[in-house]
Structures are given as C-alpha cells and as structure tokens.
Amino acid sequence: MWKFIVKNFLYSLLVIIGVITVTFALLYIVPGDPARMLLGQRADEESVKRVKEELGLDKPITTQYLNFIMKAAQGDLGRSYATNREVAAIIIEKFPATALLAISAMLLSSILGVIIGVISAIRSYSFTDNASMVFALFGISIPQFVFALLMALVFGSILKWLPISGYITDGWDHLILPMLTLALRPLAIIARITRSSMLDVLNQDYIRTAKAKGLSEMKVVFKHSLRNALTPVVTTLSASLAATLGGAFFIEFIFNWPGIGLLAIDSILKLDFPMIQGTVLFSAIIFVLINFLVDIIYAFLDPKVKLA
Amino acid sequence: MKAEITGNKNIQGKSLWYYSWKRLKKNKLAMAGLVIIFIMIFIALLADVISPYNPNDQILEFATKPVNFEGTVLLKKSDNNESGFDYLPINNFLREENDSVYYEDFNRTERSINTNELISPDRNEYLTRLNFLLGTDRFGRDVLSRLIYGSRVSLSVGLISESIAIIIGLILGALAGYFRGAADKGIMWLINVVWAFPSILFVIAISVVLGKGFWQAFVAIGLTAWVDIARIVRGQFFSLREMEYIEATKAMGANPARVIIRHILPNCLGPVIITGTVGLANAIIFEASLSFLGLGVQPPTASWGQMIFDGYKYIIAGTNWGLALFPSLAIMIAVFSVNLFGDGIRDALDPKLTK
C-alpha cells in the first residue's frame, strides 16, 4: 500500500514539474519586458536594470527556469504587476471563496444528478426519462458564461429575487445564483452517467435474481443496483471537483465572486503576468493533488484497483 | 470446397458503418441535430447572400433599437464603400422640390440634400425603409446580419481547432498505444500535464501569449483539446494491437506504419468520431468564451461571444435583452445540435444496442 502511495505521489510530482515548466514557458514567450511592466512605462533605465537583476531576468534561460522551479517549490510566485503584492498571498486569500462555491455546487449537483439519473434509468424511455435527458444535454450544451448571464437576467433583473453580484459577507443569498450556475454542468453529466451506469447494472443477472426472489423494487434499486452503479459517478464527481476547486472562471467573473476564478480573469484582462502564471499554476496543482488523493481513496475502497 | 456466394448480393456482408448509419437514420433527435448543423454550415457559407445588411454598417441614429425596428434612410452616393452608397438616416421624408430633397432629421429640424448626392433622382430608389428583424446593437448595426456572419467564426474556429486536436491526438495516441514503453510513458506524462490545466484557463492563457486574433484562437483550442482524442486512441490501440489479425499482419511482414495506418486506425475511428463531436461542441464554447473576454477575433468582425459581451451590460441594466439573448441562443443551438448528433453516433456505433 505504501509503495502504491509513494509511487503515485512521485508521479504526481513529475506531472507538477511538467505543469510548472509549461507555465514558465507560456510566460517566457510573452512579448514585452516584465521589469518594465512591473515599474510602468515611465520608469528610468537605472531602476529597470535594478529590478531585472532582482528578478534574475539578466540570467540565461536555464538559470531563470531553475530559479522559477525553486521559488515555486517554496511557494514564491513573484509579485503582482497590478498591486505589487505577493501572488501566493493573494491566491491563499481568495481560495476560501472558490472552495465554498465549488464544494456547495458539487454537493448540489451530485445529489440532484444521482436522483435524476436513477429516476431516468428505472423509467427508461418514458417521457420523464426523455425530458430529463434533453435537459441534461441542454446542461452540457450551454456555455457557462451564457447560463450565468441567463440566470442573472431571469432571477436578478426580471424577477429581482436574488442578488447578482457580491460575496456572502453581504448575505448568504449571494451564494445561490453562482452555486446553481456552477452546478448545472456537473449535474447534467452526473445524471447522464448515473442513468447509463444504472441501466448497465439493471440488466445484470444478479438483479434479475434479486427481483425473482421477490425483493421490493426500492430495495433492488437502492440496495443492489445503485451501490454498484456509483463508481463511475464518483469518478466524474471527483474530476469535476478537482476542476472547479481551481476556480469557476466565468461564473466568478459574472457574479463578481471574489475567488481564484475572478482573480484569474481580472489578471488576464489587466495582463498581470505573474498573477496569470500563479493562478494557472495553482489550478493545475490543485487538480493534480485532488486526483492523487482520489486515486488513494479508490485504492482503499475498491479491491479491484491494482496496487501496482 | 469453396462456398458459392458470388451472384447473390443479399448475403454479402455489410460494413459496421452501413449498419451504424442505418441506426443513426432512425434516431430522430440525432438527425434533427445533423440537419441543424447543415443549415448552420449553409448559413455560414452563404452569409453574403442571406444576410439582409452589411454586418459592419453602422447607423448611429438607429443604435440599440428593439426587435423588428424599421427606420427610414436616404441612400447617398459614396466612393469609399463597396456597395456604392451610404445610409443617411432620417426621421421623416418631407418633399421633393427643385433639385433637392427635404427631410426632417433626428433633432426635428428641416434639412435638405441635393439629388446629385443621392444614388438616383428616383424617389423609389433613394428612399427606403430598413427593417431590423432582431433589432440593432449600440452602433446601430443589424443584429441579424451580425449573427449570420458570426456563425462563420464559430463554425470555422470550431472545425479547424478540433481538426488540429484530432491530428495531434491521433498521432500521439497511436504512438503511445502501439509502441508502449518509453514512448507511452512520455506521451502519457504530457497528456497528464496538459490535462491538469483547467482547459478554459489554459486556452485563455495561450491566447494571451499568442496575442488576440482568429488563428490564435484555434491554435490555443487545438493545443488543449488533443488530450481527449489521444487518450481514446491510446486505449483503443492498447486493446487492438493484441488482436489476432494484427499478429497475422505483422507475421506477413507489414511494417509498423502499415499496421498502424491500415489495420488499427480504421478500427478506432468510431470512438474518435464520438470524442471529436464532443470536442467540436467544446471548441465552439471555447471560442465564444474567448471572444466574450475580447481575446478571440477582433472587432469589427462579428462573433457570437463578443456580441454577448456587448449585450451583457444591457442585461444588468435590464433593457435590450435581445442583444445578449440572440447570440446566446445561437451558441446553444449550435452546441446542442452537435451534441445531439454526437449522442446519436455514440448510440449508433454501440454494438450492444444492435437490434
């Protein structure tokens, strides 16, 4: 078991090094002089030179790259061009908002998604099933920013039921619209996967046996089928969680939710490169770490996973 | 003894594609999706013919008008315009007198213009009413025409970037799945690295680096989207290369390139097509998201994402919803029909569902 954990951990580290390399490469080829961007266009040559030395920009690319990795490993992601504050500190400050939004949305979408999927599967090819599946396909087809705008339009501007901008410090109702919007896509995906996975299970012999020996439908569905059908659902859910914990970009942007996603888009619009680099890196590392944890949990729970 | 099958076409085998297509044709939703995709492609190709007006013509006097707005204009001669005329929007046509046309402008003042400056002295030709079926944007441009031209950007970026993704994905997936070992380890590592980035943020970051524009958008999307294809192709190769017929081809002396291209690739096209349609739908969403942030095609070229961005301020203000709503609907219809079709192919290619 320990061997499995260590091996997976080392591989995750290897992926993270790749992630850092790509992030470094992305920003290295950006046109423009970082030192000048940090100081502004009117800075004199002397201070530009000094900052370049401070940031190590006068060194060859390999040294810069190694420096970048060493600094990133210590949690130093540089300073924001826009605010001159430490990138890592800002990210840590914004993370709780993103985590709250991601976790609440995932809870909602997993509960609703499984319920819709199960109902669709036991009433397969009925009107309810078709309607739910068209809804699910709609949920996958609508771009997040479009759905966010529609929600803001309907519940904010027309019905005026809910606030469309701000954080929970102004009241918990600020969470509702971003959460519903973020939940839609994973909800749709989970409903579809639960349905097809349930259909697979319901066709198995042991389910026929269970029915034949006179168990109630409820018992067959919930005790015998759902448990076995949930494995792919959990996989999807953990992938969604890993992706959204790195920030729900458009949703945070449109609802003005002060998390990593809003930070990322703001820094992109301001061309604040260290901040872009930091948020991209942070999201990717979160993704790798969550997947690492999920693999470990799987290995504990599912005897079929090979510990090789 | 040789079996006698010549001359009797009824028992000749038909390909998987034949049966899949037959099943696909029965799937009404999938066919509806396919028809809509074709209609959209037609609209995009024939935009010059179908579009009621030039999508970039601005009539500031007619800015942010509601659906089905009609406005009166005089057609003025123009040298620096392809169409050969400019619009002179007027509030009211008053009269023709001598060589001049008298009209009321938007400040309710009476003005006149010499008929020489108009495209023709004939009132039926120089005086016309413009009908904006879906209203106008803040520059007084026709929303319908911009929607029609916007379909070009969405579909072409979607198709081209997904093609790039499929090419990269096929090559890397095939190499990893066929050769395994170090090649597989290296490619899998690359896949996991790209996979780790949130795709939308990665697309945005790449286009920030490459600069704003049309080709940057599809390079950015293509560079991100290939991982899905590569994973599928690799998995298919893993199982297919163990099949006996592959062993047979190798025993007959076929080199790896021939085995890969002629014998394995055709057999994993099904999953690639399924993943490709999902990718196409996502690429359309990515393009719209990029344009929404102002990173995709640049103005004045019309694109749906940008139209939504322009219209979204009006949603917050609670007026002129159409400006954001119509392009949103267009994106949804496009993505929805691609997904419908993709789902249909998935069902049609699934041998488990054979009836």
Side-chain angles (χ1 to χ4, degrees), chain B residues 113-133:
Chain B
I113 183 169
N114 195 297
T115 33
N116 292 335
E117 291 180 52
L118 298 170
I119 55 159
S120 134
D122 182 356
R123 191 193 302 182
N124 290 328
E125 284 184 31
Y126 70 72
L127 181 70
T128 181
R129 284 182 80 73
L130 305 178
N131 184 359
F132 302 97
L133 274 178

Side-chain angles (χ1 to χ4, degrees), chain B residues 18-140:
Chain B
Y18 173 84
Y19 288 110
S20 303
W21 173 241
K22 237 176 116 175
R23 256 174 282 160
L24 188 60
K25 272 199 295 192
K26 280 193 207 138
N27 186 337
K28 285 189 194 112
L29 283 175
M31 290 322 279
L34 186 63
V35 169
I36 299 173
I37 295 170
F38 272 122
I39 293 176
M40 287 204 153
I41 293 177
F42 257 106
I43 290 177
L45 289 175
L46 299 177
D48 297 323
V49 185
I50 304 171
S51 161
Y53 305 108
N54 182 326
N56 299 330
D57 272 351
Q58 304 185 354
I59 307 176
L60 291 173
E61 286 81 354
F62 294 162
T64 53
K65 293 294 181 194
V67 165
N68 213 5
F69 169 79
E70 282 194 20
T72 313
V73 289
L74 300 177
L75 298 179
K76 263 195 326 186
K77 276 183 201 158
S78 161
D79 301 326
N80 50 11
N81 201 325
E82 264 177 63
S83 52
F85 56 80
D86 272 338
Y87 295 118
L88 175 64
I90 61 174
N91 207 5
N92 250 320
F93 176 78
L94 296 174
R95 62 192 179 276
E96 272 178 65
E97 217 173 82
N98 303 327
D99 277 340
S100 286
V101 173
Y102 289 82
Y103 63 93
E104 189 185 272
D105 75 1
F106 287 83
N107 297 322
R108 306 233 162 238
T109 358
E110 188 175 314
R111 288 176 179 279
S112 68
I113 183 169
N114 195 297
T115 33
N116 292 335
E117 291 180 52
L118 298 170
I119 55 159
S120 134
D122 182 356
R123 191 193 302 182
N124 290 328
E125 284 184 31
Y126 70 72
L127 181 70
T128 181
R129 284 182 80 73
L130 305 178
N131 184 359
F132 302 97
L133 274 178
L134 297 183
T136 58
D137 68 6
R138 68 195 163 106
F139 296 113

Side-chain angles (χ1 to χ4, degrees), chain A residues 49-297:
Chain A
K49 211 179 148 210
R50 190 167 39 84
V51 169
K52 266 190 176 174
E53 272 165 26
E54 265 172 38
L55 295 175
L57 293 173
D58 50 346
K59 306 222 167 62
I61 178 171
T62 43
T63 324
Q64 282 191 44
Y65 171 61
L66 289 176
N67 275 344
F68 184 74
I69 291 191
M70 294 311 286
K71 279 188 174 172
Q74 295 162 14
D76 179 1
L77 298 171
R79 285 175 179 279
S80 154
Y81 290 165
T83 57
N84 202 21
R85 290 183 56 207
E86 275 192 30
V87 168
I90 304 180
I91 289 179
I92 290 170
E93 189 183 299
K94 302 282 183 183
F95 183 62
T98 290
L100 171 66
L101 181 59
I103 292 171
S104 58
M106 287 310 125
L107 274 178
L108 180 72
S109 60
S110 52
I111 296 169
L112 276 182
V114 168
I115 293 176
I116 294 176
V118 168
I119 295 176
S120 270
I122 34 186
R123 305 257 172 280
S124 57
Y125 304 105
S126 68
F127 174 76
T128 324
D129 177 32
N130 287 336
S132 326
M133 286 307 113
V134 169
F135 163 77
L137 197 62
F138 164 83
I140 292 171
S141 301
I142 186 166
Q144 265 187 344
F145 72 95
V146 171
F147 187 56
L149 290 175
L150 287 181
M151 294 291 272
L153 169 66
V154 174
F155 295 103
S157 300
I158 299 181
L159 297 172
K160 299 197 194 313
W161 287 353
L162 292 163
I164 52 176
S165 169
Y167 190 49
I168 49 165
T169 41
D170 308 324
W172 279 88
D173 51 350
H174 285 81
L175 175 63
I176 299 175
L177 280 184
M179 178 181 73
L180 289 177
T181 316
L182 182 58
L184 179 74
R185 195 179 164 90
L187 191 159
I189 297 174
I190 287 172
R192 279 161 62 106
I193 288 186
T194 307
R195 176 181 180 272
S196 69
S197 164
M198 274 295 277
L199 282 179
D200 275 350
V201 173
L202 287 174
N203 283 330
Q204 307 251 328
D205 290 340
Y206 75 91
I207 296 297
R208 201 177 312 130
T209 314
K211 279 185 189 161
K213 69 178 186 184
L215 288 183
S216 70
E217 165 137 18
M218 291 300 270
K219 215 165 183 184
V220 172
V221 167
F222 289 101
K223 213 161 168 218
H224 292 73
S225 320
L226 187 56
R227 271 190 175 182
N228 287 306
L230 276 183
T231 318
V233 177
V234 175
T235 314
T236 318
L237 186 67
S238 57
S240 293
L241 184 67
T244 41
L245 268 183
F249 307 101
F250 285 100
I251 292 173
E252 293 183 11
F253 177 65
I254 286 168
F255 292 111
N256 203 12
W257 183 265
I260 307 282
L262 179 62
L263 182 67
I265 292 195
D266 266 348
S267 54
I268 282 165
L269 295 177
K270 285 180 193 151
L271 295 182
D272 183 351
F273 290 115
M275 205 69 239
I276 301 177
Q277 211 166 23
T279 47
V280 170
L281 195 58
F282 179 78
S283 307
I285 289 177
I286 285 273
F287 186 88
V288 176
L289 288 183
I290 298 272
N291 277 318
F292 165 71
L293 289 179
V294 169
D295 282 348
I296 303 285
I297 294 172

Side-chain angles (χ1 to χ4, degrees), chain B residues 16-17 170 173-174 176-180 231-250 259-272:
Chain B
L16 168 72
W17 301 104
L170 273 181
Y178 187 82
F179 293 107
R180 303 195 188 172
R231 277 202 163 187
I232 295 288
V233 174
R234 173 179 173 271
Q236 291 287 310
F237 265 69
F238 258 63
S239 51
L240 286 172
R241 60 164 284 168
E242 298 302 322
M243 302 280 218
E244 277 172 5
Y245 79 96
I246 296 299
E247 210 175 308
T249 24
K250 280 187 198 160
V259 176
I260 291 177
I261 294 167
R262 286 221 28 127
H263 299 287
I264 305 186
L265 262 189
N267 282 314
C268 53
L269 278 187
V272 170

